[in-house]
Amino acid sequence: MALTTPASLGGGIAAEQVRRQLTGNRSDVSGKAFQAILIAALATSIVILGVLVYDVAQTGSGTLTGRLGDFLQGSLRSQAEASGILQGLRGTFFIGVFTVVVAFPVGIASAIYLEEYARSTRLTRFIDVSIRNLAGVPSVVYGILGLAIFVKALGSFTGPDAQGRSVISAGLTLAILVLPIVIITSAEALRAVPAELREAAYGVGATTWEVTKHHVIPYAAPGILTGTVLALARALGEAAPLILVGAVTGFLSGGTGMSLDSLDERFTAMPIVITTWAGRPGADWEQATAAAIVVLLAVVLLANAIAILLRNRYEKKRG
Amino acid sequence: MPDNLTREVRLMAENGSPVPRTEPAPPGVPQQAVFDVSGVAVYYGDFRAVRDVSLDVRQHEITAFIGPSGCGKSTMLRCFNRMNDLIDTARVEGDISYHGVDLYDPAVNPVEVRRRIGMVFQKPNPFPKSIYDNVAYGPKVAGAKGNLDDVVEEALQGAALWDEVKDRLKESGMSLSGGQQQRLCIARAIATDPEVLLMDEPCSALDPIATGRIEDLMVEIKERYTIIIVTHNMQQAARVSDRTAFFTTEVNEESDRRTGLLVEYADTDKIFTTPDDERTENYVTGRFG
């Protein structure tokens, strides 16, 4: 489309012509269609999520409003109306603690070593690829690993009276399960630190340790935090490996102790409680299951909320 | 260079004490060489980025590296403070000596090197910290204790930034304009009291007014520092530098890869008026590059 220069025409006519050229409505059908597809995809995810949450909340509302205190503080029973999830919450809490205490430091430290210290060699590239593959290994496989190492081989340490089927074994197994995720997401966050920042610090004579401590970690902290919380949420939601390391699916006496001494006793956890109850017949169990799901969702959302608050604080610091 | 000074520098490099600041030589006496470079080639893995660089950098002079993109001038600059060490595959062949000490001797600590040989980068890169902390960082990691107010003020004065920021030292260095950020980076570099400043196209991201201020500043501070500047801007090299090294690229017939090399190194006047090499003349007269 040749644009006639306004100078070649009279003032008023020129303006009119330019206006017509500029406002010419070129129809962009494929662009609009693409946008519609994107919106439809997003809407699908949101609607599915919304229906799930609504359905679960609706089903569980009787239990949650009727006897929330008893439900949170009660133990596993044979009647749905009398059952509570304290033992499951306790197991899930300790699994979270193990993940935070074991997987986070080890994973973040591994990522820092790989990104900041290790030279890029064939070996480090091999390790990098291996970690990525480990993140894709099915969780049941980690359950078998946990069964072989923490339950069988180290049983006398992880739970002498429970034949190793303790929350220690479960926590360590899930910590190892999420370790590759922690390493990968932390490494990505470290890789996103601008090279200029490192050069600036090295340029005034900082050592690798000082560059890492003063500049790289503070800058990468929000990203590391996001990744680790996703890993935590994954650990809290896993059921399959827990079954292999001997989580109790039926009735459990004890399993409510919050002291360190009680860590080597038999245990259960929220995902196990949910899968067990979901298999039982009757509307009562259905209600109890839904209520347990709502509680687990709330726990995970709480962990996410804390992470977002911490991340915002770090980001503000980063300036 | 007298042997006793060499030994002194070597001892200081090992003990971590500052280098003695020598006065500019009186007229007529040959200037001391700070760097002596001979037969240097830099590789990234198998790729040879630059070859056959031999030159000496004299004290209290501004030495400019000019040449087309990819000619290895920045690569060469980064050899002087061992910044290339940060790239795993980088390898330096040949000799670079600093006051007679081989910079690539295994016993030399690159951290100590960088405290004596500061660097200003192409893109202003202040830390996401306060103006004060930006400047105080170098002295702090060098072990300075106590109140650094005087050090910070002196460095900011030295970088001609003090008057503009003295009332807002607590504000983020990122809040400054591009030209101010670059002067902040210069202040940060001189706060550790280095002997040499390496400047890698320090004005390429700046407007002409900010560029002019940085150029004036360079000429002012060469009394105290030895400066090597890489620049794309030939007028800049002509305006500020005492000596100029012209680099160019050549294409390897077999691998089809470009390697940089040093063509000519002489007084700036000579490079820009009566260069010996035809390639230099073509470049400075704008017929090439």
mmCIF file of all heavy atoms in Angstrom, chain A residues 19 28 67 75 126 130 169 182 204 219 277 281 285 292 295:
data_model
loop_
_atom_site.group_PDB
_atom_site.id
_atom_site.type_symbol
_atom_site.label_atom_id
_atom_site.label_comp_id
_atom_site.label_asym_id
_atom_site.label_seq_id
_atom_site.Cartn_x
_atom_site.Cartn_y
_atom_site.Cartn_z
ATOM 1 N N ARG A 19 -5.724 9.778 7.351
ATOM 2 C CA ARG A 19 -6.586 9.200 8.366
ATOM 3 C C ARG A 19 -7.130 7.850 7.892
ATOM 4 O O ARG A 19 -7.147 6.876 8.626
ATOM 5 C CB ARG A 19 -7.748 10.143 8.682
ATOM 6 C CG ARG A 19 -8.632 9.636 9.850
ATOM 7 C CD ARG A 19 -9.907 10.439 9.974
ATOM 8 N NE ARG A 19 -9.679 11.863 9.914
ATOM 9 C CZ ARG A 19 -9.200 12.593 10.928
ATOM 10 N NH1 ARG A 19 -8.925 12.008 12.067
ATOM 11 N NH2 ARG A 19 -9.014 13.880 10.802
ATOM 12 N N ASP A 28 -7.419 -9.167 11.521
ATOM 13 C CA ASP A 28 -6.369 -10.094 11.937
ATOM 14 C C ASP A 28 -7.058 -11.333 12.496
ATOM 15 O O ASP A 28 -7.093 -11.546 13.704
ATOM 16 C CB ASP A 28 -5.487 -9.410 12.985
ATOM 17 C CG ASP A 28 -4.379 -10.311 13.466
ATOM 18 O OD1 ASP A 28 -4.140 -11.352 12.818
ATOM 19 O OD2 ASP A 28 -3.758 -9.973 14.480
ATOM 20 N N ARG A 67 -18.029 -30.405 63.216
ATOM 21 C CA ARG A 67 -17.156 -30.872 64.319
ATOM 22 C C ARG A 67 -15.675 -30.678 63.941
ATOM 23 O O ARG A 67 -14.866 -31.598 64.010
ATOM 24 C CB ARG A 67 -17.453 -32.334 64.624
ATOM 25 C CG ARG A 67 -17.370 -33.255 63.411
ATOM 26 C CD ARG A 67 -17.688 -34.692 63.788
ATOM 27 N NE ARG A 67 -17.270 -35.612 62.736
ATOM 28 C CZ ARG A 67 -16.073 -36.233 62.723
ATOM 29 N NH1 ARG A 67 -15.216 -36.065 63.684
ATOM 30 N NH2 ARG A 67 -15.764 -37.052 61.726
ATOM 31 N N SER A 75 -8.501 -39.222 66.341
ATOM 32 C CA SER A 75 -7.636 -40.247 65.752
ATOM 33 C C SER A 75 -8.416 -41.048 64.724
ATOM 34 O O SER A 75 -9.622 -40.902 64.592
ATOM 35 C CB SER A 75 -7.144 -41.186 66.855
ATOM 36 O OG SER A 75 -6.324 -40.470 67.741
ATOM 37 N N PHE A 126 27.453 -34.423 33.077
ATOM 38 C CA PHE A 126 26.809 -35.716 33.297
ATOM 39 C C PHE A 126 25.949 -35.664 34.570
ATOM 40 O O PHE A 126 24.805 -36.122 34.586
ATOM 41 C CB PHE A 126 27.862 -36.823 33.398
ATOM 42 C CG PHE A 126 27.314 -38.154 33.800
ATOM 43 C CD1 PHE A 126 26.590 -38.918 32.897
ATOM 44 C CD2 PHE A 126 27.510 -38.642 35.092
ATOM 45 C CE1 PHE A 126 26.065 -40.146 33.270
ATOM 46 C CE2 PHE A 126 26.994 -39.869 35.467
ATOM 47 C CZ PHE A 126 26.270 -40.630 34.558
ATOM 48 N N SER A 130 21.936 -36.151 34.908
ATOM 49 C CA SER A 130 21.427 -37.198 35.791
ATOM 50 C C SER A 130 20.405 -36.637 36.768
ATOM 51 O O SER A 130 19.372 -37.260 37.027
ATOM 52 C CB SER A 130 22.577 -37.833 36.580
ATOM 53 O OG SER A 130 23.553 -38.290 35.693
ATOM 54 N N SER A 169 11.858 -42.615 58.404
ATOM 55 C CA SER A 169 12.055 -43.216 57.077
ATOM 56 C C SER A 169 11.255 -42.467 56.027
ATOM 57 O O SER A 169 11.747 -42.182 54.924
ATOM 58 C CB SER A 169 11.606 -44.679 57.094
ATOM 59 O OG SER A 169 12.368 -45.398 58.030
ATOM 60 N N VAL A 182 14.609 -29.605 44.042
ATOM 61 C CA VAL A 182 15.218 -28.464 44.748
ATOM 62 C C VAL A 182 16.498 -28.040 44.025
ATOM 63 O O VAL A 182 16.736 -26.850 43.798
ATOM 64 C CB VAL A 182 15.508 -28.828 46.225
ATOM 65 C CG1 VAL A 182 16.244 -27.691 46.913
ATOM 66 C CG2 VAL A 182 14.222 -29.127 46.959
ATOM 67 N N VAL A 204 36.064 -5.965 42.000
ATOM 68 C CA VAL A 204 36.648 -5.192 43.097
ATOM 69 C C VAL A 204 37.398 -6.084 44.073
ATOM 70 O O VAL A 204 37.769 -5.647 45.154
ATOM 71 C CB VAL A 204 35.594 -4.362 43.869
ATOM 72 C CG1 VAL A 204 35.065 -3.252 42.999
ATOM 73 C CG2 VAL A 204 34.481 -5.227 44.394
ATOM 74 N N TYR A 219 20.353 -12.314 45.422
ATOM 75 C CA TYR A 219 19.626 -12.060 44.179
ATOM 76 C C TYR A 219 18.774 -13.264 43.781
ATOM 77 O O TYR A 219 17.660 -13.115 43.285
ATOM 78 C CB TYR A 219 20.617 -11.733 43.057
ATOM 79 C CG TYR A 219 19.965 -11.151 41.827
ATOM 80 C CD1 TYR A 219 19.882 -9.772 41.655
ATOM 81 C CD2 TYR A 219 19.399 -11.963 40.861
ATOM 82 C CE1 TYR A 219 19.263 -9.223 40.546
ATOM 83 C CE2 TYR A 219 18.774 -11.437 39.754
ATOM 84 C CZ TYR A 219 18.720 -10.067 39.602
ATOM 85 O OH TYR A 219 18.100 -9.527 38.513
ATOM 86 N N TRP A 277 -9.508 -43.567 53.279
ATOM 87 C CA TRP A 277 -10.913 -43.231 53.517
ATOM 88 C C TRP A 277 -11.710 -43.221 52.212
ATOM 89 O O TRP A 277 -12.874 -43.600 52.184
ATOM 90 C CB TRP A 277 -11.026 -41.853 54.191
ATOM 91 C CG TRP A 277 -10.615 -41.894 55.635
ATOM 92 C CD1 TRP A 277 -10.173 -42.978 56.323
ATOM 93 C CD2 TRP A 277 -10.642 -40.803 56.544
ATOM 94 N NE1 TRP A 277 -9.883 -42.635 57.615
ATOM 95 C CE2 TRP A 277 -10.170 -41.294 57.780
ATOM 96 C CE3 TRP A 277 -10.999 -39.463 56.451
ATOM 97 C CZ2 TRP A 277 -10.063 -40.486 58.903
ATOM 98 C CZ3 TRP A 277 -10.893 -38.663 57.569
ATOM 99 C CH2 TRP A 277 -10.429 -39.164 58.787
ATOM 100 N N PRO A 281 -16.773 -47.478 51.846
ATOM 101 C CA PRO A 281 -18.114 -47.183 51.323
ATOM 102 C C PRO A 281 -18.905 -46.261 52.245
ATOM 103 O O PRO A 281 -18.611 -46.145 53.430
ATOM 104 C CB PRO A 281 -18.763 -48.569 51.273
ATOM 105 C CG PRO A 281 -18.087 -49.325 52.375
ATOM 106 C CD PRO A 281 -16.701 -48.806 52.490
ATOM 107 N N TRP A 285 -18.080 -41.649 55.030
ATOM 108 C CA TRP A 285 -16.653 -41.665 54.702
ATOM 109 C C TRP A 285 -16.351 -40.664 53.585
ATOM 110 O O TRP A 285 -15.297 -40.027 53.576
ATOM 111 C CB TRP A 285 -16.193 -43.068 54.296
ATOM 112 C CG TRP A 285 -16.012 -43.958 55.478
ATOM 113 C CD1 TRP A 285 -16.744 -45.060 55.795
ATOM 114 C CD2 TRP A 285 -15.048 -43.797 56.526
ATOM 115 N NE1 TRP A 285 -16.310 -45.607 56.981
ATOM 116 C CE2 TRP A 285 -15.265 -44.844 57.452
ATOM 117 C CE3 TRP A 285 -14.037 -42.876 56.785
ATOM 118 C CZ2 TRP A 285 -14.495 -45.002 58.615
ATOM 119 C CZ3 TRP A 285 -13.266 -43.028 57.936
ATOM 120 C CH2 TRP A 285 -13.502 -44.079 58.835
ATOM 121 N N ALA A 292 -10.932 -34.013 54.850
ATOM 122 C CA ALA A 292 -9.479 -34.200 54.972
ATOM 123 C C ALA A 292 -8.752 -33.536 53.806
ATOM 124 O O ALA A 292 -7.694 -32.921 53.972
ATOM 125 C CB ALA A 292 -9.151 -35.688 55.024
ATOM 126 N N VAL A 295 -8.505 -29.861 54.371
ATOM 127 C CA VAL A 295 -7.468 -29.521 55.349
ATOM 128 C C VAL A 295 -6.077 -29.588 54.706
ATOM 129 O O VAL A 295 -5.251 -28.689 54.886
ATOM 130 C CB VAL A 295 -7.552 -30.458 56.578
ATOM 131 C CG1 VAL A 295 -6.365 -30.206 57.506
ATOM 132 C CG2 VAL A 295 -8.858 -30.238 57.320
#
